Amino acid sequence: MRLVLLGPPGAGKGTQARALATLWGIPQVSSGDLLRTVVREDSELGREAASYMDRGQLVPDELVLKLIDERLRKKDARKGFILDGFPRNVMQAEALAKGLDKAGLKLDKAVAVIVPDEEIVKRISGRRTCAKCNAMYHVAFEPPKKPGVCDKCGGELYQREDDAEETVRERLKVFAEATRPLLDYYGRLGLLEQVDGVGRTDDVEKRILSAVNGVAPPPN
Ligand code: AMP
């Protein structure tokens, strides 16, 4: 299964991508996580990436494409992958298609998770992320058992700098301008499925599973 998960920030792509990755035994590949790893290394490149991310802007395609290319070449991605947060614009989508084509591969589906803007602002302001394993929580809707501590790995939970309300609104604007055109792009290729991203996490997961029905391997 080679799947792209599309959707605005806070649509639940990360949570869904992780759940599906576990179900299908393939990796979740998140460009945001790859970039945050680079930022943590405190290099010149990391500082440059952070200057875009902190403002809610897209990081230049060149860096993102390099990180994704390196990640998809790893052995665990041979069986398939779930792309989360990539591609973010048509240029990235075309580069992905070209790279896959070279390897004799193609995408199976692009699933867009649809959530209204106001719901997103509400969700993101309460979001907390694990510094160690990137698991996500929400202070009201999905709190960890112990405040500030990850249930899965015991890592520290923090609020991402770009989850502040003003930055979220900028990220939504960037989504509308740069990323939404991908719905048409994948629609024209006959790969697009749209699912309602409002509701319980497991209900949204069921909707995604039914959208990719026929392509997905049976659960283990
Ligand atoms: P995310 O974790 O997917 O919400 O991404 C967080 C931030 O990382 C975004 O607001 C962008 O600044 C940057 N980013 C993530 N993925 C991409 C991408 N595919 N292209 C450009 N910038 C990205």
Side-chain angles (χ1 to χ4, degrees), residues 31-32 35-36 53 57 59 64 85-86 88 92 160 171:
S31 46
L35 285 163
R36 281 183 286 279
M53 293 166 78
Q57 298 287 327
V59 171
V64 179
F86 178 91
R88 270 307 217 271
Q92 293 181 5
R160 277 169 41 180
R171 288 163 67 198

Side-chain angles (χ1 to χ4, degrees), residues 133-159:
C133 75
N134 294 312
M136 247 143 22
Y137 298 86
H138 189 284
V139 290
F141 310 138
E142 217 179 319
K145 290 196 188 93
K146 194 170 158 202
V149 181
C150 178
D151 292 349
K152 298 186 179 82
C153 75
E156 190 188 339
L157 303 185
Y158 73 107
Q159 182 173 34

Side-chain angles (χ1 to χ4, degrees), residues 40-90:
R40 260 182 237 130
E41 284 160 9
D42 197 30
S43 59
E44 182 66 33
L45 205 59
R47 276 187 289 279
E48 196 201 332
S51 72
Y52 292 94
M53 293 166 78
D54 290 348
R55 283 181 286 134
Q57 298 287 327
L58 293 186
V59 171
D61 293 332
E62 199 190 344
L63 171 59
V64 179
L65 290 172
K66 180 171 169 283
L67 291 172
I68 290 287
D69 184 58
E70 281 170 10
R71 181 63 189 86
L72 294 186
R73 281 173 194 278
K74 293 207 171 142
K75 201 172 157 209
D76 66 343
R78 274 191 211 153
K79 271 198 296 177
F81 48 75
I82 300 170
L83 284 168
D84 156 20
F86 178 91
R88 270 307 217 271
N89 58 31
V90 172

